[in-house]
Amino acid sequence: MNSRFARVAGVMAAALIAAGSQAALAQPGGGPGRGPGPDHGLAIEHVLASLKTQLNLNTSQQVMWDNAVAHAKSARASTRGGMDQVQAALKAELAKAEPDFAAVATIADQAQASNQAARKQVRDEWLRLYATFSPAQKAVVRDALRERVARMEAFRDKMKERFQSRQGPAS
């Protein structure tokens, strides 16, 4: 019975850590080496950052840009802090004879909600900057997004073909 509890506790701990990690990575800038994911491939802040030199920002747009970058960095730091709290709570509970995983889950849920709110604030700030763009600047962004979408669709099709070829002929 004791080994069964240890297995269940281990699985729950791993799930909580994974959930917390996903919440941390959902922030702008994700993490080192993070490739395109559900919220990373077309995130407006990443698209705009890759196009900054082509956008020829005016002075007020540059101020908005700098503020958005600063707030994104602040949100990432806050996210890291929330993840640290979740990990500390998990370690504290695992040190107990009978860990309270519901308490850890509550802390993880609060951190995730806080992270999501911060992410939305940063995204909205980038969208406000985009709203100030001239038609020519918006065309640059539109064209870049079209190219990204086309690349993602081509990659998805390639992976689908590769998966189907490994499955063999349909019966």
Side-chain angles (χ1 to χ4, degrees):
M1 178 90 166
N2 198 15
S3 65
R4 181 175 178 203
F5 176 77
R7 279 195 311 267
V8 170
V11 168
M12 289 185 70
L16 287 170
I17 289 172
S21 297
Q22 289 301 320
L25 290 175
Q27 293 300 308
R34 184 159 183 250
D39 62 354
H40 190 71
L42 292 178
I44 190 70
E45 58 269 23
H46 298 290
V47 173
L48 294 178
S50 70
L51 300 171
K52 185 177 182 190
T53 58
Q54 298 171 37
L55 292 173
N56 299 320
L57 300 175
N58 64 33
T59 307
S60 66
Q61 290 171 336
Q62 184 62 51
V63 169
M64 290 179 76
W65 180 282
D66 294 339
N67 289 337
V69 168
H71 289 133
K73 287 180 181 181
S74 173
R76 280 192 297 276
S78 174
T79 297
R80 282 187 215 102
M83 188 58 205
D84 290 344
Q85 288 177 344
V86 173
Q87 289 177 346
L90 180 60
K91 286 180 182 179
E93 290 298 325
L94 290 175
K96 296 178 181 177
E98 293 185 23
D100 181 7
F101 293 118
V104 177
T106 300
I107 293 169
D109 289 345
Q110 291 169 349
Q112 185 176 12
S114 173
N115 295 343
Q116 184 177 18
R119 181 189 59 79
K120 285 182 179 179
Q121 287 175 341
V122 169
R123 180 204 58 204
D124 291 347
E125 194 164 356
W126 285 104
L127 290 172
R128 280 191 298 276
L129 169 64
Y130 174 78
T132 68
F133 285 0
S134 69
Q137 289 171 315
K138 288 182 178 182
V140 169
V141 175
R142 180 201 61 219
D143 294 344
L145 278 171
R146 282 182 181 167
E147 184 180 317
R148 281 181 182 229
V149 168
R151 272 196 328 254
M152 284 191 288
E153 287 174 352
F155 179 76
R156 200 174 296 125
D157 291 343
K158 179 181 170 184
M159 290 298 109
K160 187 176 181 180
E161 288 174 16
R162 185 177 289 178
F163 177 75
Q164 289 174 346
S165 70
R166 288 185 181 176
Q167 295 297 314
S171 44

